[in-house]
Amino acid sequence: MDYKPTPRSRIKGMLRQIFLRSAERGAAIKRDKYTCQKCGIKQTTKKGHEVKVEVHHKQGINNWDAVIDLIREKILCDPEHMETLCRDCHAMEK
């Protein structure tokens, strides 16, 4: 192996960034009117009184290892399983 695989922590960080910018996360926040569903506090940016709300997965995310393993197997696989193609040839391979 003459390359260094992407660290698991970086993969998890990138997945978190995707989630933070996702339509699904935005829809949950908008649906709940930027309000905590437990205590009722509302998000505000008022100086000195800043409150941020976050999105919680009710079912939890207990399978990070399986998710990262799948990404490594299917997307960030060994370069031996990849080839360089132009856009047109790549489009024909899909």
Side-chain angles (χ1 to χ4, degrees), residues 9-89:
S9 60
R10 184 157 183 226
I11 296 169
K12 188 174 180 179
M14 293 282 89
L15 290 171
R16 179 169 165 69
Q17 291 303 312
I18 291 169
F19 173 68
L20 289 173
R21 292 170 175 78
S22 71
E24 293 79 3
R25 178 182 173 274
I29 290 174
K30 189 174 182 179
R31 175 201 64 214
D32 295 337
K33 298 181 173 105
Y34 296 83
T35 302
C36 175
Q37 298 304 289
K38 294 282 184 189
C39 72
I41 196 167
K42 191 167 175 119
Q43 179 170 293
T44 181
T45 56
K46 184 178 177 185
K47 192 172 181 178
H49 301 281
E50 294 89 353
V51 173
K52 292 205 181 248
V53 293
E54 300 177 353
V55 174
H56 173 69
H57 287 82
K58 292 179 184 179
Q59 297 174 342
I61 305 175
N62 301 324
N63 55 348
W64 277 114
D65 286 335
V67 170
I68 292 171
D69 289 344
L70 183 63
I71 289 170
R72 278 216 166 129
E73 178 186 339
K74 301 295 183 182
I75 299 171
L76 301 177
C77 58
D78 189 296
E80 289 295 318
H81 302 288
M82 299 179 192
E83 65 182 342
T84 305
L85 299 174
C86 70
R87 276 185 192 232
D88 292 340
C89 290

